Amino acid sequence: MVAICHCRHCQRQSGSAFSVVGIVSNDDYNQQGETKVFRDIGDTGLSVNRHFCGRCGSPIVSVADAFPGVTIVKAGTLDEPDQWVPTQEAYCANALPWLGEPSTRQCFDRANVGDQI
């Protein structure tokens, strides 16, 4: 699944209006190299471990206790991000108003996108 996330945490981490993420099974995720981790707390009160490159600071993945068994990959870090087309949006209630009209993608006010995993 590929989604756009408008939550304040993703806005801050990306330094932008939203983050594009791909949700993959932990079994399908393979990482080379070390990352540093910032431990965040999601709106569920559970931990979200945000992994980033210790050399350049780019966000790489997030591992959320609320979504066991999956890794949330930041699509902008991939070599071919254009192949990851979002079908859903989360935290649309936080979408910045200057983005314009809502998209035609399925849009959830909060994190209901996790129900689709």
Side-chain angles (χ1 to χ4, degrees), residues 97-112:
W98 50 259
L99 286 172
E101 293 297 316
S103 75
T104 57
R105 289 178 282 276
Q106 189 175 16
C107 201
F108 299 99
D109 282 345
R110 300 191 54 81
N112 303 55

Side-chain angles (χ1 to χ4, degrees), residues 66-78:
F67 305 129
V70 300
T71 299
I72 303 166
V73 179
K74 301 296 185 169
T77 63
L78 301 172

Side-chain angles (χ1 to χ4, degrees), residues 34-70:
E34 295 289 319
T35 55
K36 295 193 181 258
V37 178
F38 172 74
R39 184 176 173 265
D40 201 356
I41 302 296
D43 67 345
T44 63
L46 299 174
S47 292
V48 179
N49 291 307
R50 299 182 182 278
H51 295 247
F52 61 96
C53 176
R55 289 184 294 177
C56 73
S58 294
I60 307 294
V61 298
S62 295
V63 179
D65 287 352
F67 305 129
V70 300

